Amino acid sequence: MNREKWGSLIWLGAGIGICIGTFNLSLGTMNNPGPGMFPFAAGAILAILSSILLFQSITSKEATTQQEPFFVSAGGARNAGLVLIALLAYAFSMDYLGFVISTTLFLAFLLWAVEPQRWYIVVFGSLFAALLAYTVFKVMLDTSLPAGLFGF
């Protein structure tokens, strides 16, 4: 079984799981959507698209006889591991450091270690993206974000 089939099966299961999980929330109606409406729609779209990909990979005329590696290179596996570790560190540091600092550090790490960029792109890009996200979510949408150690 090739990557497309495995990937589509995994995402199909995730989409179905999301749809089942949203039944604990109120779906509401189309005129008055509940908190489960958006996750249900996202799960349904994910399940439909992964079903299409699964169907295409099963019915495709190109039969691969050799097994394709999951990661094309060792660098791909290294980068995937770094991203997973960075996501875990980001999630655990959010309450302690706050949204702006942890997001800046997370993006800087990704720009430095996973996809190496020049130092000024790492510094200014991560800071700009974190402040832009803060402005959109905190200032414009008035959502609550973790304040963290320094109160912002």
Side-chain angles (χ1 to χ4, degrees):
M1 191 178 279
N2 62 12
R3 280 191 264 180
E4 287 82 15
K5 290 178 186 173
W6 277 111
S8 59
L9 282 173
I10 289 170
W11 288 114
L12 177 63
I16 292 171
I18 291 169
C19 288
I20 291 171
T22 58
F23 285 120
N24 294 335
L25 304 171
S26 170
L27 293 179
T29 64
M30 291 303 282
N31 293 332
N32 188 16
M37 180 67 78
F38 180 74
F40 180 80
I45 291 170
L46 181 62
I48 290 168
L49 292 176
S50 59
S51 297
I52 292 170
L53 179 62
L54 179 63
F55 179 75
Q56 287 176 344
S57 66
I58 289 173
T59 61
S60 72
K61 303 232 186 275
E62 299 175 10
T64 57
T65 57
Q66 64 181 7
Q67 188 74 331
E68 298 174 4
F70 188 71
F71 291 110
V72 179
S73 66
R78 178 189 152 276
N79 287 345
L82 287 174
V83 169
L84 287 175
I85 291 169
L87 281 170
L88 286 172
Y90 179 60
F92 288 120
S93 70
M94 184 76 73
D95 286 335
Y96 182 70
L97 295 176
F99 178 80
V100 175
I101 294 172
S102 59
T103 302
T104 302
L105 293 174
F106 172 68
L107 293 174
F109 177 77
L110 292 180
L111 290 173
W112 172 72
V114 177
E115 190 64 39
Q117 301 292 323
R118 296 182 180 185
W119 70 269
Y120 57 87
I121 292 176
V122 171
V123 172
F124 296 119
S126 60
L127 188 60
F128 176 75
L131 291 175
L132 180 66
Y134 180 83
T135 302
V136 168
F137 290 111
K138 184 69 175 171
V139 176
M140 296 171 71
L141 296 176
D142 196 31
T143 59
S144 62
L145 296 173
L149 189 62
F150 301 107
F152 60 88

